[in-house]
């Protein structure tokens, strides 16, 4: 088994705020792209522009750096534009990572078979 952590966020937003949200996400993605431990950071939106999913994939021990260093400056504006309706976390996050993710109602699923390339 690999030691990655994958987070899948489901968000809702008012479609009239999508353009503002999209500009903010461009900044966050640009900053996140510089992180060595972030392997995937992908936003997807429905046609109505009111439902967004984020797929995040991190090397072991890289999630906290993303939260504390990269995402932190954008967090207030981000959370003012969206509501997090679901967060599923795959992998083996440590207690500190869990304490941060619990704030978003995280559900944890532990891999027991399979692979990631």
């Amino acid at each position: 088994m690999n030691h990655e952590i994958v987070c899948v966020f489901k968000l809702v937003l008012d479609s009239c705020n999508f353009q503002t949200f999209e500009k903010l996400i461009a900044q966050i993605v640009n900053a996140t792209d510089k992180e060595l431990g972030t392997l995937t950071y992908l936003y997807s939106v429905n046609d109505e522009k009111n439902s967004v999913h984020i797929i995040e994939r991190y090397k072991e021990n890289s999630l906290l750096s993303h939260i504390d260093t990269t995402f932190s400056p954008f967090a207030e504006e981000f959370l003012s534009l969206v509501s997090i309706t679901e967060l599923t976390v795959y992998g083996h996050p440590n207690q500190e990572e869990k304490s941060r993710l619990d704030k978003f109602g995280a559900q944890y699923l532990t891999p027991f078979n399979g692979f990631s390339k």
Side-chain angles (χ1 to χ4, degrees), residues 32-44:
T32 302
D33 190 37
K34 296 173 176 71
E35 297 174 339
L36 297 177
T38 301
L39 304 171
T40 303
Y41 197 70
L42 180 64
Y43 283 76
S44 299

Side-chain angles (χ1 to χ4, degrees), residues 73-88:
F74 304 102
E76 186 175 340
E77 183 178 3
F78 181 93
L79 293 170
S80 75
L81 293 170
V82 301
S83 294
I84 298 169
T85 59
E86 189 176 323
L87 168 57
T88 306

Side-chain angles (χ1 to χ4, degrees):
M1 289 285 174
N2 64 42
H3 296 281
E4 297 174 355
I5 296 174
V6 176
C7 300
V8 178
F9 286 86
K10 294 182 180 180
L11 317 171
V12 294
L13 71 153
D14 188 328
S15 59
C16 69
N17 291 329
F18 183 75
Q19 197 169 34
T20 301
F21 184 70
E22 188 175 32
K23 289 178 185 175
L24 175 65
I25 296 314
Q27 294 174 52
I28 298 171
V29 168
N30 185 51
T32 302
D33 190 37
K34 296 173 176 71
E35 297 174 339
L36 297 177
T38 301
L39 304 171
T40 303
Y41 197 70
L42 180 64
Y43 283 76
S44 299
V45 65
N46 67 345
D47 289 341
E48 293 80 18
K49 308 271 193 268
N50 63 4
S51 177
V52 174
H53 289 194
I54 313 167
I55 300 171
E56 303 178 2
R57 189 170 135 245
Y58 300 95
K59 291 180 183 177
E60 188 174 35
N61 300 317
S62 298
L63 178 59
L64 289 179
S65 174
H66 170 73
I67 293 169
D68 293 343
T69 305
T70 306
F71 183 73
S72 180
F74 304 102
E76 186 175 340
E77 183 178 3
F78 181 93
L79 293 170
S80 75
L81 293 170
V82 301
S83 294
I84 298 169
T85 59
E86 189 176 323
L87 168 57
T88 306
V89 180
Y90 305 88
H92 301 279
N94 63 40
Q95 280 309 118
E96 183 61 25
E97 291 166 333
K98 282 184 174 183
S99 73
R100 306 294 181 79
L101 297 170
D102 284 347
K103 296 173 186 175
F104 303 109
Q107 174 185 3
Y108 300 96
L109 297 175
T110 303
F112 68 94
N113 199 343
F115 65 89
S116 176
K117 294 183 181 183

